[in-house]
Amino acid sequence: DRTKAIETYTSIGKVAGKGKRDEEARFRLADVFLQMNEVDRAVDTYRSLIRDYPQSPRRDAYAYNIGVIYHERERDSVAVMELKNFLITFPESELLPQAHFTIGDAYYNMGGYDSAYVWYYSVLEKYPNSTVVPEAIDQVRFTLEALGRGREAVAVIDSFMVRNPNRLPADSLSFKKAGILFDNGAYPEAIVEYRELIAGFPQTPLRPEALFQIGRSYEYINQQDSGVLTYTEVITDFPQSPAAAQALLARATIRLYNRAWDQAAADFGLLLGRFPESSRATEARFGLGEARLGIADTAGAVAQFRIIIDSAGSAGEGDLIFTDKSRLMIGRILSAQKKSDSALAITAPIVS
């Protein structure tokens, strides 16, 4: 009962007077106000703690919390003001890196990407050993992408690695660099970066995902054969990895597109057998139905489409698309068999 908690924490201060018990009670009281979404009362409570306990080792945390409260409730201009005041008032606080990062977040939310970049980058420059550095690197990347300068993030990571060679796992940073190149359409360069990662760190757990991304890169530059070979490497060398599930679907899709029906059917079937709980299982089953049609196995195709339709009640929003597509496919098959009434019946839920 939050009302009871408010009464309890308030009474502690009245009975005990100022001291550790009162400070702790007010701190807990602020948390209760936040749970009730009583923002102003929570902020007022933190301000009273800062005022009444000038020697408290937690004063900086109280001030920082005020800024975070406003940020989390999308009052970002106020959050920036509060956090900048925090930086001035508590220049020795251990929370300085988090404050810089949160100011960057606030500017990002307001669309002030240039300012956001400055504050995120300041974390890398001033606090390279902070726990928020990995997040700051990611946000520098997203901010530069929002500014249309996404590839510059590669240079930022390179610079950070030179200045702080042992701060973060080099394979992780190399993977980020390759991802930046990929996301900005520099697929040949991404392939090189992923290959260097694999060569430089042969035992990295990122190897399966790096290989999968190489396969995707080959697809984007219309080198499907190289893509298939790379996907096969993932499937063979890392058969139970999440990347293998993605690689199976990608290889099957290429083979389906190229009308290699038997190979596509085998890949889709392997994916469903090896990864039955995959989030892409419904998509794979639909592909298997299409491949069955390609090899003139109409009954087998209909069986796959009906499984999708029958499981629609437990399907996610994305899977419902394949439910409708399955109804359409069966409808076309029935129409071709001159079973117009049945075709209309199976497709009726789509119209309704």
Side-chain angles (χ1 to χ4, degrees):
D1 187 331
R2 290 169 182 165
T3 302
K4 182 65 175 178
I6 291 172
E7 293 175 357
T8 300
Y9 293 138
T10 302
S11 66
I12 289 175
K14 292 179 179 178
V15 174
K18 291 182 180 180
K20 289 185 178 180
R21 287 189 64 202
D22 173 59
E23 182 181 0
E24 182 63 27
R26 280 199 244 177
F27 174 73
R28 293 176 181 271
L29 183 61
D31 186 58
V32 173
F33 286 142
L34 286 177
Q35 293 176 33
M36 299 171 64
N37 206 30
E38 296 272 0
V39 174
D40 291 339
R41 296 178 75 182
V43 168
D44 287 344
T45 303
Y46 279 128
R47 291 198 195 284
S48 73
L49 285 165
I50 295 169
R51 180 189 65 240
D52 294 342
Y53 293 96
Q55 302 305 316
S56 172
R58 296 198 294 188
R59 285 182 79 238
D60 62 333
Y62 301 147
Y64 173 72
N65 286 350
I66 291 173
V68 172
I69 287 169
Y70 285 123
H71 170 57
E72 290 179 345
R73 283 151 183 82
E74 299 182 357
R75 295 168 65 177
D76 285 303
S77 61
V78 181
V80 167
M81 179 185 69
E82 293 289 347
L83 290 168
K84 286 184 176 179
N85 286 337
F86 163 82
L87 295 176
I88 295 170
T89 307
F90 302 98
E92 304 300 323
S93 173
E94 294 182 356
L95 294 169
L96 295 181
Q98 288 86 343
H100 280 250
F101 182 86
T102 307
I103 292 172
D105 267 356
Y107 275 121
Y108 188 94
N109 287 351
M110 293 188 291
Y113 301 122
D114 286 308
S115 296
Y117 172 79
V118 169
W119 286 95
Y120 289 137
Y121 190 77
S122 71
V123 176
L124 308 183
E125 285 281 287
K126 297 181 179 181
Y127 312 105
N129 294 315
S130 167
T131 57
V132 298
V133 160
E135 291 179 88
I137 289 175
D138 286 339
Q139 289 304 119
V140 162
R141 169 186 175 179
F142 299 143
T143 303
L144 286 171
E145 287 176 354
L147 290 166
R149 296 157 46 197
R151 289 192 60 170
E152 291 181 29
V154 171
V156 171
I157 294 175
D158 282 337
S159 176
F160 181 83
M161 292 174 70
V162 169
R163 297 193 312 273
N164 308 278
N166 300 312
R167 170 62 185 87
L168 293 173
D171 58 340
S172 175
L173 291 176
S174 181
F175 188 81
K176 286 181 185 290
K177 287 167 53 182
I180 291 165
L181 293 168
F182 180 92
D183 289 344
N184 284 275
Y187 304 116
E189 292 94 327
I191 292 171
V192 171
E193 189 68 41
Y194 283 125
R195 290 290 186 198
E196 289 181 355
L197 162 65
I198 292 168
F201 304 93
Q203 302 304 316
T204 178
L206 296 169
R207 184 184 180 96
E209 183 63 25
L211 283 169
F212 173 69
Q213 295 297 339
I214 290 172
R216 292 183 69 201
S217 298
Y218 278 129
E219 279 201 75
Y220 277 111
I221 57 177
N222 296 315
Q223 295 185 23
Q224 287 191 348
D225 290 344
S226 295
V228 167
L229 287 173
T230 310
Y231 292 142
T232 301
E233 186 176 353
V234 180
I235 295 162
T236 303
D237 293 350
F238 307 95
Q240 298 301 322
S241 68
Q246 299 179 81
L248 271 168
L249 184 62
R251 190 176 72 176
T253 302
I254 290 174
R255 288 171 167 174
L256 187 71
Y257 178 80
N258 290 319
R259 297 175 176 269
W261 308 119
D262 288 318
Q263 289 181 314
D267 277 348
F268 286 126
L270 183 58
L271 172 56
L272 291 168
R274 191 183 293 179
F275 302 98
E277 303 301 321
S278 169
S279 61
R280 309 291 292 278
T282 302
E283 182 179 353
R285 191 171 298 283
F286 184 83
L288 178 55
E290 289 186 299
R292 290 293 182 195
L293 277 181
I295 57 179
D297 179 10
T298 304
V302 170
Q304 297 302 320
F305 297 141
R306 285 202 178 277
I307 291 173
I308 295 172
I309 294 169
D310 291 343
S311 62
S314 59
E317 184 175 345
D319 290 342
L320 293 177
I321 295 173
F322 290 102
T323 301
D324 288 346
K325 292 175 72 173
S326 295
R327 290 184 179 279
L328 286 172
M329 294 298 285
I330 293 177
R332 290 171 184 168
I333 292 169
L334 292 171
S335 294
Q337 296 172 344
K338 309 299 183 183
K339 299 177 181 178
S340 300
D341 290 343
S342 297
L344 288 172
I346 194 71
T347 57
I350 303 174
V351 179
S352 59

